[in-house]
Amino acid sequence: MLLEKISLFNTKRDFFLFLFFCLFIASYSLLIEYNNYKNLTQFDSQLLEATVLQQYEKTKLTKKGKSKTYQVLKLKSDKGFSFYTIAKKSFMDVKAKKVKLEIFFQEMSFYEYMTGFFAFSKILHVYENPTIKENLNTYISSLHESIDIASIYKALYTASPLNQDLQLTFSRLGISHLFAISGFHLGVLSGLLFFLFKWPYRFLQNRYFPYRSYTLDSFFVIASLLFIYLVFLDTPPSLLRAYVMLLIGFILYDRHYTILSMWTLFLTVILLLSFAPKLLFSLGFWLSVWGVFYIFLFLIHFKNLNKIWQFILVPFWVYLMMLPLSLYIFGNFSVYHPLSIIWTSLFSIFYPLSILLHLVGFGALLDNYLTWILHLNTNGIILKIDSLVIATFITLSFLSIWKKYFTYLLLVFALLIFIYTIYNVA
């Protein structure tokens, strides 16, 4: 007889004890961050080592009306904070490299420290010894003739940032989420690892350790491999959310708690924000959270639907639900944007297949398909929706947790926004 699944919090007391625990952890985490902030800004300058996350050129007009071109660098220090600085136009390409530099402070608030700040700097040394990530990126580049195609695969495998042109193209196509490593990629990788691990484990289990639990052992191995990958990528916020949710989901499943619940998402978000308060200011983290929120909303209210129908309808549902948020934040839209529903489904095949092809040295076999996508006429429009509209949409989203009636209103509202965008781009 299967054990009956139970709710996460049985009493209000349990819930408030959990909130008190999270509040204590969050206060302590903020205290640590504030202490780091005070130590960093106690002098006019600081020596530190950092990794260059992004590097791109920017041109602006000076007060005298002349154009000035320089390079913008986004770095992440070894101490965990991110910041921006500038360098001369002629400065060498240091993307993904580790550098030693001196940064000079002006007035900087604690809020700026938490969200990412700008500081003038002097780069003292560029470490030439290639990292594992650099070696992997070099290998990826060697398999592709096109720099843009190589950049796409680097974004997929090593979380390397795409250039601004590619970002704009994918934003107009509605597939930016496919090339920014997130929970979607973690799910595909988990499935691939589960498939690869199953047969050798079953073979050995039947002969040497039939008493072992396949579920527990496979989860431990897969979770360990994914953790190594997470650290290798320097813990992107959206991927961190997905990984922690994977751990929490398994713990709840192992103890016969209900997994498919908004409480699971709530627990993940509160715990992550408590231990890593900087995530509060991460756009990638919140978009990841909203994506899972709408998937759960559909599966909870339409759980009686046939599984095949759920599989078919979820991509359409998530697209419609995320469209208002995408328009409000980015505003990019084109006639190809709705096709992202199909491309997202096909990506579940493309992603693991591309990994296998790169492992055996045939990574360029799919380049023609990516080149075709890049050459689509993605001239779109900038369409921003009003703050009142997005506030109404979010309010309906929260109300939909408790009443299915509001879920239908939410769907109608999202369809009206979709029709509005199509009308404007046609």
Side-chain angles (χ1 to χ4, degrees), residues 13-15 25 33 136 161 203 284 305 310 370 401 426:
R13 178 176 176 274
D14 294 339
F15 175 68
I25 296 298
E33 292 289 358
L136 181 55
F203 176 81
L305 273 179
Q310 287 184 1
L370 290 176
I401 298 174

Side-chain angles (χ1 to χ4, degrees), residues 155-272:
L156 281 175
Y157 305 148
T158 67
S160 300
L162 294 168
N163 63 53
Q164 291 178 319
D165 290 337
L166 286 175
Q167 289 178 13
L168 180 60
T169 297
F170 292 147
S171 180
R172 287 173 175 171
L173 291 172
I175 55 176
S176 295
H177 61 287
L178 298 181
F179 301 99
I181 297 180
S182 62
F184 181 76
H185 302 77
L186 191 79
V188 175
L189 287 174
S190 299
L192 180 61
L193 289 172
F194 180 83
F195 174 78
L196 294 175
F197 181 74
K198 181 177 180 179
W199 302 112
Y201 182 90
R202 291 294 195 192
F203 176 81
L204 294 173
Q205 183 188 39
N206 291 335
R207 287 160 175 77
Y208 302 110
F209 39 82
Y211 51 87
R212 296 289 303 176
S213 167
Y214 169 71
T215 301
L216 188 63
D217 287 350
S218 62
F219 177 79
F220 176 78
V221 172
I222 293 171
S224 299
L225 292 174
L226 292 177
F227 177 76
I228 294 171
Y229 187 53
L230 179 70
V231 173
F232 169 72
L233 296 181
D234 205 15
T235 60
S238 56
L239 195 63
L240 177 62
R241 189 278 313 157
Y243 183 77
V244 172
M245 196 164 186
L246 176 70
L247 296 181
I248 291 174
F250 181 80
I251 292 171
L252 295 179
Y253 167 81
D254 193 53
R255 286 156 177 76
H256 305 284
Y257 283 85
T258 302
I259 300 175
L260 190 57
S261 165
M262 287 299 179
W263 284 117
T264 307
L265 180 60
F266 173 78
L267 180 66
T268 303
V269 172
I270 293 298
L271 284 175
L272 278 171

